[in-house]
């Protein structure tokens, strides 16, 4: 005859059976606490609209000179400035559309010299580029606009107030002389200078670069009469095949040199 289990033992057996049954029915992973998501939850905030570009920035390089051109109000799709480089000639033509100029433009275009040196505005509207005081390039005076110095390395391109501009082009040049050969002409030694097309049309900035290259090649050139003859040819005979400069001609000043058609006599 087996003894009957006590009431305490029966209670423990029932609790153990219920625990086993509940464990078998428990979910495989715990349910995280927190509110249940609903279909009408608040949408994510809208993305901000991109801010339009403040202006197109174009890098312009010719020879050892680098400029950065900025046009306020322009964009990548409408830069309002184009650049036409000619590496063989050492030039880069910078053309500003009419929308970049005038009273209703967002602001004047700017030209910054970023390769070192300084900008040197000349009285005729051209602008020289100098390094250590020596000309290394220049910008021809644009038609329909002016190059106005902001500081030693920045220019603004401004159209005349109240005008209706059609655009403007300035040409960056970094080569002044194609060739320079000594010979005997007109009774003495003469240097035949073949200037580049850019230097012939760039005004005083072009003369500055031609002169710097001539003096660097031959210091004997560095006299006042030779410089006056050079400037006279650039002003009065820019299309002549060669500009013939004679060191033996007298130093009579630029005005008298021009009156003598660049050939003053002793």
């Amino acid at each position: 005859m087996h003894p009957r289990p006590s009431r305490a033992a029966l209670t423990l057996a029932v609790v153990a059976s219920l625990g086993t049954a509940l464990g078998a029915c428990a979910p495989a992973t715990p349910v995280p606490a927190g509110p249940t998501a609903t279909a009408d939850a608040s949408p994510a905030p809208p993305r901000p609209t991109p801010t339009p570009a403040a202006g197109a920035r174009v890098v312009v390089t010719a020879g050892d000179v680098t400029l950065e051109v900025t046009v306020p109000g322009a964009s990548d799709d409408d830069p309002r400035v184009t650049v036409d480089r000619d590496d063989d000639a050492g030039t880069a033509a910078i053309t500003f559309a009419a929308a970049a100029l005038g009273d209703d433009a967002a602001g004047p275009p700017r030209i910054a010299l970023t390769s070192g040196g300084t900008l040197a505005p000349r009285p005729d509207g051209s602008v020289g580029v100098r390094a250590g005081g020596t000309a290394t390039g220049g910008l021809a005076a644009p038609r329909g606009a002016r190059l106005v110095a902001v500081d030693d390395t920045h220019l603004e391109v401004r159209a005349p107030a109240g005008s209706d501009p059609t655009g403007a082009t300035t040409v960056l040049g970094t080569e002044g002389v194609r060739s320079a050969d000594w010979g005997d002409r007109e009774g003495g030694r003469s240097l035949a200078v073949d200037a580049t097309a850019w230097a012939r049309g760039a005004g005083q900035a072009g003369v500055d670069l031609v002169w710097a290259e001539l003096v660097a090649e031959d210091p004997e050139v560095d006299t006042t009469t030779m410089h006056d003859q050079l400037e006279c040819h650039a002003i009065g005979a820019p299309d002549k095949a060669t500009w013939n400069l004679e060191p033996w001609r007298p130093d009579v000043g630029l005005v008298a040199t021009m009156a003598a058609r660049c050939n003053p006599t002793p």
Side-chain angles (χ1 to χ4, degrees):
M1 183 177 198
H2 298 288
R4 295 178 63 185
S6 67
R7 181 173 295 180
L10 288 174
T11 301
L12 290 174
V14 171
V15 171
S17 299
L18 287 174
T20 301
L22 290 172
C25 296
T29 58
V31 177
T36 304
T38 59
D40 59 349
S42 299
R47 294 181 178 178
T49 303
T51 302
R57 295 178 183 269
V58 179
V59 175
V60 182
T61 301
D64 294 330
V65 177
T66 301
L67 307 173
E68 184 179 85
V69 179
T70 305
V71 182
S75 65
D76 292 339
D77 295 330
D78 181 20
R80 302 180 186 180
V81 59
T82 57
V83 178
D84 183 11
R85 287 181 56 180
D86 186 342
D87 292 334
D88 292 335
T91 61
I94 309 168
T95 300
F96 299 92
L101 306 169
D103 295 338
D104 57 349
R110 279 203 169 196
I111 299 175
L113 176 64
T114 60
S115 54
T118 59
L119 297 170
R122 307 294 281 130
D124 66 347
S126 62
V127 177
V129 178
R130 296 182 180 178
T134 301
T136 57
L139 289 161
R143 293 183 179 180
R146 296 178 299 127
L147 300 177
V148 179
V150 176
D151 54 37
D152 287 347
T153 58
H154 293 83
L155 303 169
E156 287 185 350
V157 184
R158 299 180 187 171
S163 67
D164 185 15
T166 58
T169 299
T170 182
V171 182
L172 169 65
T174 56
E175 295 181 13
V177 178
R178 286 197 185 100
S179 64
D181 301 308
W182 284 103
D184 290 322
R185 302 177 185 87
E186 299 183 28
R189 294 186 71 223
S190 179
L191 181 64
V193 178
D194 181 11
T196 63
W198 174 82
R200 292 171 183 268
Q204 291 174 309
V207 172
D208 292 344
L209 184 58
V210 171
W211 183 250
E213 292 180 358
L214 291 176
V215 172
E217 182 66 24
D218 187 348
E220 183 184 351
V221 174
D222 192 9
T223 66
T224 303
T225 183
M226 292 282 276
H227 186 275
D228 287 346
Q229 291 173 55
L230 171 64
E231 195 162 352
C232 179
H233 281 89
I235 295 171
D239 296 330
K240 188 179 178 183
T242 59
W243 300 343
N244 299 324
L245 315 180
E246 286 87 27
W248 51 267
R249 294 192 180 276
D251 179 6
V252 296
L254 178 59
V255 173
T257 300
M258 294 184 69
R261 303 182 65 178
C262 307
N263 297 315
T265 56

